[in-house]
Amino acid sequence: MKRNILSIHLAAFLFGMTGILSTLIDADSDVITFGRAMFAAVVLSPILWFLRDQPNDPNHRVAKPLSETQLWIRCLGSGLILAIHWVTFFVSVKTAGVALATLGFSSFAAFITIIEALVTPNRVTRTDWIRTVIVTAGLMLMTPSLDLADANTFGFLMGLASGFSFAAMAVFNSHWLANVNPIRVARNQNVIVMLLMAAWALPAISALSPLSWFWLALLGIFCTGLSHSLFVFSLARMRVNVAGLVIALEPVYAIVAAWLLFHETPSLRTIAGGLIIVSAIIGINYAKNRQTP
């Protein structure tokens, strides 16, 4: 379990750096999404080949294996959701800044509960619903305005869309890809994203500067390939809600980094809403674990 917790915490940190790196890349969301998926797929493929003969975890119960066709069909579904998540997140960062984008994305913890309630109602507890209500209150506090013409409002809504699509992907992976090699899942999903975004990205990708290529490579290799594998690895061995609790630390990492590097100081409403969200996600689960004998 300690290895699983360490993996999900490292994934949270790397996810938090995604918004930071995307601000350094002089390109739109389509190009960034395509590029990060391309680098991730290139890096994960040799890793998958190298680990092909590694024995399975003896403590992990494996269901009936999927055929190659079944695997790619499921990866097509999760890859499509992943592409939507990335595009909406990068639009959010470019229009509303790192703080609002990452805090909007943190709504995924509430969305996970809602989606899980529809898929497997018996797995959702009263604590999950309490957390969802509090997270919703924090999001309402952070909403810049009700004017869709306002850039911050539009960016924040894109952050919410990013959170919803991430929650959908997490539940999808947990239910239908949990018994597949996480490196293989991550590689296949990134290949799907790369193919889906190619038509929009290829005409513009030649205009990238060498420095943007460098940041894009870091984004694809570390904040995509490595972090995505760690996240899928953790989902195969713990409840999706528990993994979501740790990933909720992403806004903390991102906001602190944006403040230190870019002097992007969040507003008091953003800080207050963020504290409510993070406290609800982490604090309630801590109290619940303390009560468990």
Side-chain angles (χ1 to χ4, degrees), residues 87-285:
V87 170
T88 52
F89 179 75
F90 290 134
V91 170
S92 181
V93 170
K94 296 288 186 179
T95 56
V98 174
L100 279 177
T102 54
L103 287 171
F105 159 74
S106 67
S107 63
F108 78 87
F111 285 127
I112 282 177
T113 298
I114 296 172
I115 297 173
E116 282 257 278
L118 297 174
V119 178
T120 53
N122 295 333
R123 296 183 65 181
V124 179
T125 66
R126 183 174 63 179
T127 300
D128 294 329
W129 284 116
I130 293 173
R131 180 171 56 242
T132 298
V133 171
I134 299 176
V135 168
T136 302
L139 292 171
M140 292 177 64
L141 177 63
M142 286 168 20
T143 304
S145 70
L146 297 179
D147 184 7
L148 294 179
D150 181 74
N152 285 339
T153 300
F154 176 75
F156 182 66
L157 291 177
M158 286 295 99
L160 293 180
S162 175
F164 176 79
S165 52
F166 185 84
M169 185 195 69
V171 175
F172 190 107
N173 286 356
S174 177
H175 285 273
W176 293 291
L177 288 168
N179 295 308
V180 182
N181 183 328
I183 304 297
R184 192 178 188 189
V185 171
R187 192 281 307 272
N188 289 5
Q189 288 176 336
N190 279 281
V191 169
I192 294 297
V193 172
M194 181 179 67
L195 294 176
L196 289 173
M197 301 305 301
W200 291 276
L202 288 179
I205 202 167
S206 60
L208 280 179
S209 67
L211 186 58
S212 289
W213 274 109
F214 172 75
W215 296 124
L216 192 57
L218 291 184
L219 177 63
I221 294 170
F222 294 101
C223 297
T224 307
L226 178 57
S227 63
H228 195 73
S229 299
L230 291 170
F231 181 66
V232 177
F233 174 86
S234 301
L235 285 177
R237 291 158 177 82
M238 63 174 62
R239 275 189 67 200
V240 64
N241 295 73
V242 177
L245 296 174
V246 181
I247 295 297
L249 290 171
E250 175 190 344
V252 177
Y253 296 129
I255 291 174
V256 171
W259 177 58
L260 293 176
L261 296 175
F262 308 129
H263 305 290
E264 187 178 302
T265 305
S267 67
L268 291 178
R269 286 183 61 179
T270 299
I271 294 174
L275 287 174
I276 290 174
I277 293 172
V278 175
S279 298
I281 294 172
I282 298 175
I284 291 178
N285 189 67

Side-chain angles (χ1 to χ4, degrees), residues 3-155:
R3 184 176 62 175
N4 299 333
I5 293 296
L6 179 62
S7 296
I8 199 69
H9 271 284
L10 181 56
F13 172 78
L14 292 173
F15 281 146
M17 296 302 101
T18 298
I20 301 299
L21 289 177
S22 67
T23 62
L24 302 174
I25 301 170
D26 186 18
D28 61 23
S29 58
D30 296 337
V31 172
I32 297 175
T33 300
F34 171 84
R36 75 179 296 188
M38 177 186 66
F39 278 110
V42 168
V43 169
L44 290 172
S45 293
I47 294 176
L48 180 61
W49 180 85
F50 180 76
L51 298 176
R52 69 192 185 286
D53 296 325
Q54 294 295 315
N56 292 325
D57 186 348
N59 298 319
H60 181 46
R61 297 173 61 186
V62 179
K64 181 180 178 180
L66 299 173
S67 67
E68 195 68 20
T69 300
Q70 290 174 319
L71 173 62
W72 277 103
I73 289 175
R74 295 189 184 190
C75 285
L76 175 61
S78 60
L80 174 60
I81 300 171
L82 180 61
I84 295 172
H85 160 62
W86 281 346
V87 170
T88 52
F89 179 75
F90 290 134
V91 170
S92 181
V93 170
K94 296 288 186 179
T95 56
V98 174
L100 279 177
T102 54
L103 287 171
F105 159 74
S106 67
S107 63
F108 78 87
F111 285 127
I112 282 177
T113 298
I114 296 172
I115 297 173
E116 282 257 278
L118 297 174
V119 178
T120 53
N122 295 333
R123 296 183 65 181
V124 179
T125 66
R126 183 174 63 179
T127 300
D128 294 329
W129 284 116
I130 293 173
R131 180 171 56 242
T132 298
V133 171
I134 299 176
V135 168
T136 302
L139 292 171
M140 292 177 64
L141 177 63
M142 286 168 20
T143 304
S145 70
L146 297 179
D147 184 7
L148 294 179
D150 181 74
N152 285 339
T153 300
F154 176 75

